[in-house]
């Protein structure tokens, strides 16, 4: 067993840290405040190859491994969770469907510009009435009589990067002209085409600079060549992609937790009360001990999941258990650590002068998107017992 990073992984971690600390940290609070999409810093991230870390170079990416993806996500999230959300959508939710199920032409046409960061991608699974119960989606894709295209109609909600995405992966219930249902299928659509309508932007508690909106498809004409995978394969594609996505969210949670922990540790050494540094009090040391321990446990879980994913590229084995455990534990750790870090800072933690309150608000989403903690416990429980 080897815990050390390779030279290449170390280099990518250093590069991500340098970029995140020198370029993102100075602008993070302002973007959080305005809720504006950080287009300029994201294009700088693209120049460093961070928008397609695991995507092979021939498809516009950096051709690195899953551990490298995790390392970059941790560093960017430690600087600003909004930036890491945008990075993760391009890398996992948009990139993985093409890598695992896309045709060569789809990879050249849609994956390449997104992985190289020329344009943004998005992933549209959730609908107003179906979030956790993804099977219950109503969006419809009707195959034309001549079999050349689908007409897609329906609403999608909570679409991360929806307001800025050029290409969007859309999941829909598929039907043939004779009325026969073919189950859920996945499609890639161009947001600049007629019938693609961006709806209301979601004002959010945290990750405020990552743009989120509703999307409506109104008689959207989608050529059959834009279907990803087989008809009816869409649900499995969505779930497989979320397994990868959950590793990215777990890494994001670790980054947020680490930033909050570092700030709390420093503050506990400097802040004096009753004649001593507050870090000398057992009540604060106990908090720091629990925080650090849970962050390190999360790190091991996410590295294990990343290692499993790297191996699965050869074996095709599912990584559902490891990815679910990593996201469940890391996201609850991020919530716990940011809560404790804010408490250690007292009134200063509650102030907008420090980033603690932002870390606290940003951490919450990691327990919700790409599978709530309740869904992940259900997934792990089902896999462990073999029962439903
Ligand atoms: N990988 C591959 N296949 C999978 C799979 C996985 N991880 N999970 C399930 N499947 C397959 C099953 O094997 C099954 O196949 P068969 O029919 O051949 O047996 C099929 O899919 C159906 O599985 P289930 O019966 O388990 O499906 P279910 O409806 O009971 O439950 C669920 C599935 C776990 C609840 C699932 O719906 C789920 O994960 N829900 C959460 C959805 C989610 O994470 N939404 C977040 C939206 S995305 C987002 O947040 C985007 C963003 O912008 C950031």
């Amino acid at each position: 067993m080897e815990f050390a990073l390779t030279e290449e992984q170390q280099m990518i971690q250093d590069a991500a840290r340098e970029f995140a600390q020198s370029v993102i940290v100075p602008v993070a609070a302002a973007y959080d405040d305005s809720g504006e999409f950080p287009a300029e810093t994201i294009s700088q991230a693209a120049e460093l190859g961070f928008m397609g870390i695991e995507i092979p170079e021939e498809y516009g990416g950096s051709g690195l491994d899953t551990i490298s993806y995790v390392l970059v996500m941790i560093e960017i999230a430690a600087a600003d969770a909004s930036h890491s959300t945008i990075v993760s959508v391009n890398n996992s939710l948009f990139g993985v469907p093409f890598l695992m199920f896309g045709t060569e032409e789809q990879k050249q046409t849609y994956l390449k510009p997104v992985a190289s960061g020329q344009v943004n991608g998005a992933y549209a699974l959730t609908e107003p009435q179906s979030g956790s119960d993804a099977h219950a989606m109503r969006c419809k894709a009707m195959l034309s009589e001549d079999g050349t295209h689908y007409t897609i109609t329906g609403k999608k909600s909570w679409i991360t990067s929806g307001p800025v995405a050029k290409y969007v992966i859309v999941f829909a219930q598929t039907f043939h002209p004779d009325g026969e249902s073919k189950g859920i299928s996945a499609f890639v659509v161009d947001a600049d085409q007629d019938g693609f309508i961006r709806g209301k932007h979601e004002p959010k508690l945290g990750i405020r600079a990552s743009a989120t909106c509703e999307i409506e498809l109104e008689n959207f004409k989608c050529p059959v060549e834009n279907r990803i995978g087989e008809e009816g394969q869409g649900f499995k594609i969505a779930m497989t992609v979320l397994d990868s996505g959950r590793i990215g969210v777990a890494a994001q949670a670790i980054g947020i937790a680490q930033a909050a922990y570092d700030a709390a540790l420093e503050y506990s050494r400097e802040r004096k009360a009753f004649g001593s540094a507050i870090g000398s009090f057992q009540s604060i040391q106990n908090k720091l001990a629990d925080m650090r321990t849970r962050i390190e446990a999360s790190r091991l879980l996410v590295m294990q999941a990343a290692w499993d994913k790297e191996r699965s590229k050869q074996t095709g084995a599912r990584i559902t258990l490891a990815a679910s455990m990593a996201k469940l534990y890391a996201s609850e750790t991020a919530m716990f650590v940011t809560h404790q870090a804010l408490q250690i800072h007292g009134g200063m933690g509650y102030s907008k002068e420090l980033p603690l309150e932002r870390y606290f608000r940003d951490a919450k989403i990691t327990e919700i998107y790409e599978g709530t903690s309740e869904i992940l416990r259900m997934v792990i429980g089902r896999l462990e017992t073999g029962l439903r």
Side-chain angles (χ1 to χ4, degrees):
M1 184 179 260
E2 178 61 84
F3 280 96
L5 299 179
T6 64
E7 205 174 316
E8 186 179 62
Q9 289 162 348
Q10 187 70 60
M11 275 169 56
I12 193 85
Q13 184 184 46
D14 291 345
R17 186 170 298 163
E18 163 64 20
F19 168 70
Q21 292 300 315
S22 64
V23 177
I24 299 179
V25 166
V27 297
Y31 277 117
D32 173 62
D33 203 34
S34 69
E36 192 191 324
F37 184 81
E40 203 179 309
T41 31
I42 287 297
S43 74
Q44 285 174 268
E47 279 166 31
L48 292 166
F50 295 159
M51 300 313 273
I53 297 161
E54 285 181 78
I55 311 295
E57 289 175 26
E58 69 255 45
Y59 305 126
S62 299
L64 298 170
D65 64 356
T66 311
I67 301 276
S68 300
Y69 172 52
V70 163
L71 295 171
V72 172
M73 279 294 293
I74 291 174
E75 295 304 328
I76 293 183
D80 178 42
S82 292
H83 279 78
S84 64
T85 297
I86 300 159
V87 169
S88 85
V89 169
N90 264 31
N91 274 276
S92 24
L93 294 187
F94 190 87
V96 172
F98 291 100
L99 275 190
M100 295 184 71
F101 305 97
T103 62
E104 179 61 27
E105 200 189 330
Q106 288 172 347
K107 288 178 195 167
Q108 291 294 346
T109 312
Y110 303 104
L111 179 57
K112 206 168 181 174
V114 172
S116 60
Q118 285 166 261
V119 296
N120 291 288
Y123 174 93
L125 179 69
T126 300
E127 297 186 3
Q129 79 301 327
S130 64
S132 291
D133 186 5
H135 249 304
M137 72 177 63
R138 292 181 190 158
C139 187
K140 250 187 182 179
M142 175 64 82
L143 186 66
S144 60
E145 293 280 354
D146 62 5
T148 58
H149 66 272
Y150 294 90
T151 301
I152 307 180
T153 303
K155 278 190 181 157
K156 296 286 174 184
S157 52
W158 289 107
I159 307 309
T160 307
S161 294
V164 294
K166 162 82 172 150
Y167 299 124
V168 181
I169 293 174
V170 172
F171 295 88
Q173 303 282 1
T174 324
F175 294 89
H176 279 197
D178 59 5
E180 196 185 348
S181 165
K182 295 288 177 179
I184 294 169
S185 306
F187 305 90
V188 57
V189 308
D190 184 335
D192 292 330
Q193 262 178 245
D194 285 349
F196 187 98
I197 303 151
R198 297 178 215 262
K200 90 171 160 73
H201 285 226
E202 297 293 349
K204 306 188 295 289
L205 173 74
I207 55 163
R208 287 176 32 77
S210 81
T212 312
C213 73
E214 285 187 342
I215 284 171
E216 184 162 1
L217 293 132
E218 211 177 70
N219 294 322
F220 184 96
K221 299 272 177 289
C222 177
V224 282
E225 303 81 67
N226 285 32
R227 193 186 66 230
I228 303 172
E230 300 303 318
E231 274 189 334
Q233 203 188 0
F235 188 75
K236 283 192 187 170
I237 294 176
M239 293 300 118
T240 307
V241 170
L242 282 172
D243 283 344
S244 287
R246 287 165 185 169
I247 296 177
V249 177
Q252 172 180 47
I254 292 169
I256 300 168
Q258 185 69 52
Y261 175 76
D262 289 346
L265 183 61
E266 195 183 325
Y267 191 75
S268 74
R269 288 183 176 134
E270 286 168 2
R271 173 72 178 176
K272 299 253 181 338
F274 309 105
S276 308
I278 61 168
S280 68
F281 303 147
Q282 197 176 29
S283 61
I284 302 294
Q285 289 190 357
N286 284 351
K287 286 189 200 299
L288 292 169
D290 288 344
M291 291 154 81
R292 176 75 203 270
T293 304
R294 287 183 64 166
I295 292 171
E296 292 314 314
S298 303
R299 212 185 294 277
L300 290 174
L301 280 171
V302 76
M303 287 302 177
Q304 164 86 58
W307 187 84
D308 278 7
K309 184 179 164 203
E310 201 51 40
R311 205 174 42 163
S312 83
K313 289 176 187 170
Q314 266 74 52
T315 64
R318 267 176 65 171
I319 55 162
T320 310
L321 182 64
S324 302
M325 292 193 299
K327 179 181 179 291
L328 173 64
Y329 195 78
S331 61
E332 294 192 348
T333 293
M335 214 46 226
F336 169 78
V337 169
T338 55
H339 182 198
Q340 298 300 325
L342 198 152
Q343 185 70 12
I344 289 172
H345 280 78
M348 281 311 292
Y350 204 66
S351 162
K352 280 205 173 273
E353 275 180 37
L354 293 183
L356 270 298
E357 60 83 33
R358 172 163 59 88
Y359 300 152
F360 180 66
R361 286 185 286 108
D362 287 346
K364 185 61 203 168
I365 192 60
T366 65
E367 291 184 320
I368 298 173
Y369 63 11
E370 299 195 39
T372 62
S373 294
E374 290 75 9
I375 287 294
L376 297 176
R377 285 196 166 84
M378 185 183 90
V379 168
I380 296 164
R382 282 180 178 179
L383 287 170
E384 282 300 283
T385 60
L387 302 170
R388 300 173 57 94

